[in-house]
Amino acid sequence: MNSKLDNCANCPAHNLSNLKKLGIDMSSFDYVVALAGNPNTGKSTVFNYLTGLKQHTGNWPGKTVTRAEGGFEYNGKKFKLVDLPGTYSLLSTSVDEEVARDFILFGQPDVTLIVIDATRVERNLNLVLQILEITDRVVICLNLMDEARRNGIEVDARTLSKELGVPVVPTSARQGEGMNELLKYIYDVATGAYICKPYRIKSKSKELNEAIERLSKEIQEEFPDLPNTRWVALRLLEGDQTIIDAIRSGELGNLQRQEVLQIEES
């Protein structure tokens, strides 16, 4: 492989061609951050705090779902923040879930920032674990810490971070508490200074694990640039028609290829 690729640890991970298909213009930005989370976690407050007045809204291509985009700068780099629809899962049972899932899978954001409610951590972990199956570039914003304290709820963010294998930052976005630390971790994950080692669920079924491993290897051989073959294998085994269609059309095969060509040509 071209040596320029080997020396590109802090290069953007996003898929530029697929972001364009999703209507995202990256011409003035270095990195793209997806903002995900359950409804009512303070996700919009986090979005507004990070982007200020540098935001606009529109619809996702071919969808009636509203999309908000904004921008912010940190440490000399420009970040585009894309607010995904608030969802409880990524199983593509609704248009909102499909939009959020496809952006993380096909857009390959440099960071997926997941906002969770500190007063309902367990309830929010369903979405967190699903996202960790797709991407290993995640920062968790443990928001509404002020509400948790008011209700006598204590959350050990350090232990949660250790268990999940990604940064977990306690915040109260309404007061700006923890937001500087959040920006630092977004930057560190985007640039590769922080390498996430996300927790992945292992089934107790030996037969299922063997099927996942075997199918993952076949997908990897067919699509060598795909970073999330295990998740794709899981969705295929569950009969996810969107993923089946993406393989048949070759859309999965386009992941990262444009970025590889751009680096080799530079």
Side-chain angles (χ1 to χ4, degrees):
M1 186 173 285
N2 192 295
S3 61
K4 291 181 181 179
L5 281 172
D6 300 331
N7 298 323
C8 202
N10 63 346
C11 285
H14 61 257
N15 188 300
L16 191 58
S17 60
N18 282 346
L19 287 176
K20 287 179 180 177
K21 292 177 186 176
L22 293 165
I24 305 296
D25 180 10
M26 290 295 296
S27 58
S28 301
F29 296 89
D30 300 298
Y31 300 103
V32 61
V33 179
L35 184 62
N38 291 177
N40 304 314
T41 56
K43 186 161 68 74
S44 295
T45 307
V46 172
F47 178 81
N48 290 332
Y49 184 95
L50 293 176
T51 62
L53 298 175
K54 299 177 181 177
Q55 57 179 260
H56 66 273
T57 59
N59 282 352
W60 291 89
K63 312 285 184 182
T64 56
V65 179
T66 301
R67 176 180 71 209
E69 294 178 26
F72 63 89
E73 292 186 35
Y74 184 83
N75 217 9
K77 297 295 183 180
K78 293 183 177 180
F79 293 79
K80 170 161 281 192
L81 185 62
V82 180
D83 190 10
L84 303 181
T87 63
Y88 293 103
S89 80
L90 296 181
L91 298 181
S92 195
T93 56
S94 70
V95 176
D96 284 357
E97 291 179 6
E98 182 182 335
V99 165
R101 190 275 306 275
D102 285 354
F103 188 82
I104 297 170
L105 178 63
F106 297 119
Q108 294 176 239
D110 301 290
V111 180
T112 298
L113 177 60
I114 311 173
V115 182
I116 68 175
D117 182 349
T119 69
R120 296 178 174 86
V121 173
E122 185 176 356
R123 176 184 178 185
N124 287 202
L125 286 179
N126 180 48
L127 178 65
V128 170
L129 293 173
Q130 289 183 34
I131 292 175
L132 290 179
E133 289 289 343
I134 301 179
T135 177
D136 57 4
R137 290 172 161 265
V138 167
V139 175
I140 294 176
C141 173
L142 183 63
N143 196 34
L144 302 178
M145 286 297 294
D146 52 335
E147 294 283 344
R149 287 191 293 266
R150 193 155 40 242
N151 288 280
I153 298 171
E154 294 184 9
V155 184
D156 188 339
R158 182 172 294 183
T159 298
L160 189 60
S161 175
K162 183 178 179 181
E163 292 292 328
L164 294 175
V166 300
V168 176
V169 185
T171 70
S172 295
R174 282 176 296 197
Q175 285 78 35
E177 176 187 336
M179 299 305 283
N180 287 335
E181 185 180 7
L182 186 68
L183 284 166
K184 178 186 179 299
Y185 275 111
I186 292 171
Y187 176 87
D188 285 349
V189 172
T191 59
Y194 187 109
I195 304 299
C196 300
K197 297 179 180 178
Y199 173 80
R200 300 278 161 82
I201 298 173
K202 276 278 189 179
S203 171
K204 294 181 180 179
S205 167
K206 181 180 177 182
E207 292 80 6
L208 178 58
N209 286 328
E210 288 177 351
I212 292 170
E213 292 301 319
R214 186 167 62 250
L215 188 53
S216 294
K217 289 179 181 178
E218 293 180 10
I219 296 168
Q220 187 68 47
E221 289 175 3
E222 187 68 25
F223 307 110
D225 297 320
L226 192 67
N228 33 40
T229 54
R230 185 177 181 275
W231 186 85
V232 173
L234 279 167
R235 300 310 300 153
L236 287 176
L237 289 170
E238 292 182 10
D240 188 314
Q241 194 60 47
T242 305
I243 301 301
I244 294 171
D245 291 342
I247 286 180
R248 286 175 175 169
S249 68
E251 187 174 4
L252 280 180
N254 293 327
L255 291 177
Q256 288 190 333
R257 244 166 235 176
Q258 178 164 327
E259 280 66 36
V260 170
L261 289 173
Q262 287 177 337
I263 294 170
E264 288 179 340
E265 290 170 358
S266 62

